[in-house]
Amino acid sequence: LLTPSQAALMLYGLPPPTPKETPGLMREVLVKKEKLIEDKYITILEKVINLRKDIEHGIKKDLTGKELDALLSDAEDYLKRIKRLFSQIEKMKEEESMLHIYDTVVTIIWDILRLEGIERVKAEEVIKLFETEMVHLGKIPEKFLRILHLIVKAKKDYDEGRLTKPEVENVKKQSAQFIKFMVEYMQ
């Protein structure tokens, strides 16, 4: 139970905790802060870790069949829930990356427009100005306008909760190409 718990915390973005720290960190971050998992599962993890330590230190010498059955049943429930937790964390991270990509792209476009002497631009006009002032005048290839529209559509789909995992991966790949070209253009 411990290893997948540590993996969940690492997937969330934290460094791997020690076995002793793992339940507390999970309770603090995944139960209280993010509300991604129920506290009863952390209690199961604590119970298993404490039992292991008691056996290791000779405090507990044997287990009854009933205790073992209860532990196995709890462990099975816990592992099913951890599997679902992984999906929840992955979805959350995908959404964060989508927002980050969109914000980065819009900021770069603002910087490029500023370099071209277009100072005051409203947020809703940024993409249209990029199209008319940069692409249609031949300063930036048409291909990058298509990538920009893909990113904007993905952001809209994200806002409406319709973004799929393959779309996220495609947007990541395309946006890296977009960002690289735009940074080179600015330099």
Side-chain angles (χ1 to χ4, degrees):
L1 301 186
L2 182 63
T3 304
S5 302
Q6 290 170 315
L9 288 168
M10 290 188 295
L11 181 63
Y12 179 78
L14 298 172
T18 64
K20 189 177 181 181
E21 297 170 327
T22 302
L25 202 53
M26 285 185 75
R27 182 171 278 123
E28 182 185 317
V29 175
L30 301 176
V31 174
K32 292 179 181 169
K33 182 181 174 200
E34 296 292 341
K35 295 176 182 25
L36 289 173
I37 190 169
E38 300 76 21
D39 193 56
K40 75 177 189 175
Y41 294 103
I42 309 308
T43 305
I44 292 171
L45 179 62
E46 288 171 329
K47 191 166 77 175
V48 169
I49 290 172
N50 290 335
L51 177 65
R52 188 188 124 237
K53 280 295 176 187
D54 287 350
I55 291 171
E56 187 180 315
H57 295 291
I59 297 168
K60 188 157 179 77
K61 302 252 187 254
D62 52 11
L63 282 174
T64 65
K66 188 176 181 182
E67 287 175 312
L68 190 57
D69 286 345
L71 281 172
L72 288 172
S73 173
D74 285 350
E76 205 173 291
D77 289 346
Y78 184 86
L79 291 174
K80 284 180 188 171
R81 183 61 183 93
I82 283 291
K83 191 174 184 178
R84 208 168 84 232
L85 175 67
F86 269 70
S87 300
Q88 290 173 286
I89 293 172
E90 284 174 353
K91 184 172 176 12
M92 189 175 85
K93 292 298 176 183
E94 282 176 1
E95 291 169 352
E96 285 175 11
S97 73
M98 194 62 247
L99 285 176
H100 177 73
I101 288 169
Y102 180 79
D103 291 344
T104 301
V105 165
V106 169
T107 302
I108 287 173
I109 291 172
W110 249 316
D111 291 344
I112 287 174
L113 290 173
R114 214 171 291 125
L115 276 175
E116 295 295 322
I118 304 167
E119 289 294 326
R120 296 228 162 85
V121 182
K122 293 180 181 165
E124 56 275 358
E125 296 174 350
V126 170
I127 293 162
K128 192 70 184 151
L129 269 171
F130 177 77
E131 187 176 340
T132 57
E133 297 296 321
M134 303 305 296
V135 177
H136 292 325
L137 294 179
K139 296 177 181 176
I140 290 180
E142 187 84 27
K143 165 187 176 182
F144 294 103
L145 181 61
R146 287 191 298 276
I147 293 174
L148 178 59
H149 285 304
L150 174 80
I151 294 167
V152 170
K153 180 189 177 305
K155 167 71 166 74
K156 185 175 176 242
D157 289 348
Y158 157 75
D159 289 341
E160 295 171 1
R162 295 182 303 156
L163 196 61
T164 65
K165 191 171 185 129
E167 288 174 322
V168 170
E169 292 307 314
N170 185 32
V171 167
K172 282 181 183 178
K173 192 169 71 177
Q174 298 287 330
S175 67
Q177 191 179 2
F178 182 90
I179 291 168
K180 182 178 183 238
F181 182 87
M182 296 306 148
V183 169
E184 287 173 3
Y185 178 85
M186 284 191 291
Q187 290 172 345

